[in-house]
Amino acid sequence: MKLSSVLGAAALSGSVYAASYDTIPDIKAYGQHFFYANNGSQFYMKGVAYQENFSPNGSTSTNVTYTDPLSSKANCERDIPFMKKIFTNVIRVYAIDPTVDHDDCMELLAANDIYVVADLSEPTTSINSDDPEWNLPLYERYTSVVDALHKYNNVIGFFAGNEVIEKANQTAASAFVKAAVRDTKSYIKAQGYRDTLGVGYATADVPSRDELAHYFACEPISGANTTIDFWGYNVYSWCGFSNYVDSSYGERVQFFSDYPVPVFFAEYGCIEGIPGGPTHRPFTEVAVLYGNMTEVFSGGIVYQWFQSDNNYGLVQIEDNEVQPEPDYTSLMSQLAKVSPTSTALSAYTPTNSAPACPTTDSSWLPVASPLPPAVNSDLCDCAMSSLTCTINSDDESSYGAEFDYICGIDDAKYCVGIAHNATTGDYGAYAGCSPKQQLAWVANQYYQAQDSTNKASACDFNGLAQTQSPKTSGSCSSLLEAAGTDGSGSVSEPTGAASSSSSAASPNSLFAPGFFNLGQTFFVVYVLTALVSGVGMLVL
């Protein structure tokens, strides 16, 4: 680290000595609480959501762009002093660009004792609520964010999903988020990254919230590690001058009283029915959140820093100057009055255990086990080399008709290897491969089944496919054998390192083979509807 960087950080924080991102103590989750790893004192989040011109639950689109909030030193220098005035010690960022440098902002944040919780997805690469998958392109995105941020001690951890499940018919998507939690934690361990880096999930305040909380904290597979490290709760039930009872805060405290991991408000700050309008939030819930809720909750993150069309912003940015809204002052005043009780790590022994996984019924669709298979790029690459008929087009928009045809005939027998049905627990060995790789697999299955009279034209698929000379190296043989000739087998190899060259298509296409979640008829209707209306998909 350069001396100028240290001096600049120290000047910004107003202190004689300022921590850097490699000396600031990391935060560890232990039992129901967060603690400073260096001295064992308890850590409560006093946070703000920090992402400009971004809606966490917008529509999946290849045209959606986002601004990495941790990439601009100038913006961080502008905003952090105002964050400190409202006692901020953590920010939540929803999408970062893992290819750019974040050292300057992370250094400035560390110098001001501010930590980060980062979502792993971005608008075009997310687990889709209505057509969920956990596959190689998603895995590559998630692990690239981990790679970009792991070195900063002031990163507490990551969210593998944000409000993915909002409706009863979307609960099956939970299995794919839980698989993402599993594989991200496995990747962190395999890379030898800091063991205090946590992986969690942020839920909306939806009817299935209790089942979701139990599902992500339960361990359905003996010896596995699929549980979240912390639980984020996006809650907007305390509006204006509400109270502990009417807001249901008391019910939430009671429910989470025996939860095994830390729980915090990943978003809060209702703007409904506020006297004076949305920018006049009184934040009266702060006294309760950091008062009689602290035995169970670890603070919270106010939504949001930047003012936008949704009217949730604490500040306006005008001519690159920070202009606080009235509720900025209200929040500052409320936080100045709190003094939460602190538990020392040395005096704390966790007693809560993991809950049982929820049972399936009409309101909870996914089976507890098995989960979607671990993404294995080696298996996907080996399969592609072994095929005689493969896909030579990267035009993902042209895949739909071919998936529809191949998987719509002969009882979908050619598509067993890419099945991913969380309600039955049926997963093909290649369900974690990219859409292009999955289409190549099923195209080859179809091709191999044709007799000699049809072979010449069986590997064309409107010009998307071509034949090649199959190759199977010695290291691939065991993987392919475990997967089985029809792809219905189970490959127990650990998750391999992601290869940026392996995926050739975005995972959230209108034509990704997600129809195995709900059946062939749904897929046909879905494709036709998407073509007409440009279906909007919920993202993390």
Side-chain angles (χ1 to χ4, degrees), residues 297-318:
F297 280 80
S298 295
I301 298 171
V302 172
Y303 187 81
Q304 62 180 350
W305 182 252
F306 297 101
Q307 188 59 279
S308 64
D309 292 342
N310 65 20
N311 289 320
Y312 278 93
L314 292 171
V315 304
Q316 291 268 11
I317 305 298
E318 297 179 359

Side-chain angles (χ1 to χ4, degrees), residues 196-207:
T196 53
L197 284 171
V199 182
Y201 176 76
T203 183
D205 194 15
V206 294

Side-chain angles (χ1 to χ4, degrees), residues 366-382:
V367 296
S369 179
L371 292 174
V375 173
N376 191 320
S377 61
D378 291 338
L379 171 66
C380 299
D381 290 341
C382 286

Side-chain angles (χ1 to χ4, degrees), residues 140-260:
E140 290 175 339
R141 162 66 195 184
Y142 279 38
T143 55
S144 69
V145 173
V146 173
D147 288 340
L149 297 182
H150 77 92
K151 72 175 183 178
Y152 306 115
N153 277 5
N154 53 330
V155 172
I156 295 174
F158 310 97
F159 281 128
N162 179 67
E163 298 188 0
V164 180
I165 297 87
E166 294 189 302
K167 304 173 183 176
N169 64 357
Q170 295 173 338
T171 58
S174 304
F176 300 89
V177 182
K178 194 171 177 72
V181 171
R182 175 201 63 203
D183 287 2
T184 304
K185 292 177 65 170
S186 176
Y187 181 80
I188 291 171
K189 183 177 181 179
Q191 297 300 310
Y193 294 158
R194 174 163 48 90
D195 62 7
T196 53
L197 284 171
V199 182
Y201 176 76
T203 183
D205 194 15
V206 294
S208 59
R209 64 194 179 196
D210 292 353
E211 290 88 350
L212 285 165
H214 283 160
Y215 180 76
F216 280 98
C218 77
E219 184 51 81
I221 306 168
S222 178
N225 189 1
T226 70
T227 59
I228 42 103
D229 298 309
F230 48 75
W231 185 251
Y233 188 27
N234 301 344
V235 57
Y236 294 88
S237 60
W238 186 304
C239 299
F241 296 90
S242 187
N243 58 64
Y244 190 67
V245 176
D246 293 344
S247 65
S248 298
Y249 275 25
E251 293 179 15
R252 296 297 89 204
V253 169
Q254 182 177 4
F255 175 80
F256 285 109
S257 62
D258 60 353
Y259 207 60

Side-chain angles (χ1 to χ4, degrees), residues 288-355:
V288 174
L289 179 59
Y290 297 95
N292 58 328
M293 294 178 67
T294 54
E295 287 189 10
V296 176
F297 280 80
S298 295
I301 298 171
V302 172
Y303 187 81
Q304 62 180 350
W305 182 252
F306 297 101
Q307 188 59 279
S308 64
D309 292 342
N310 65 20
N311 289 320
Y312 278 93
L314 292 171
V315 304
Q316 291 268 11
I317 305 298
E318 297 179 359
D319 297 325
N320 204 37
E321 296 289 333
V322 177
Q323 304 292 333
E325 299 282 13
D327 54 1
Y328 171 95
T329 303
S330 298
L331 180 62
M332 178 170 57
S333 175
Q334 294 287 355
L335 285 169
K337 295 183 288 187
V338 302
S339 181
T341 58
S342 181
T343 299
L345 177 62
S346 60
Y348 174 64
T349 301
T351 58
N352 296 340
S353 57

Side-chain angles (χ1 to χ4, degrees), residues 44-63:
Y44 287 100
M45 291 188 176
K46 298 176 183 177
V48 63
Y50 186 64
Q51 189 107 24
E52 192 170 12
N53 299 322
F54 182 82
S55 175
N57 291 302
S59 298
T60 300
S61 170
T62 55
N63 297 320

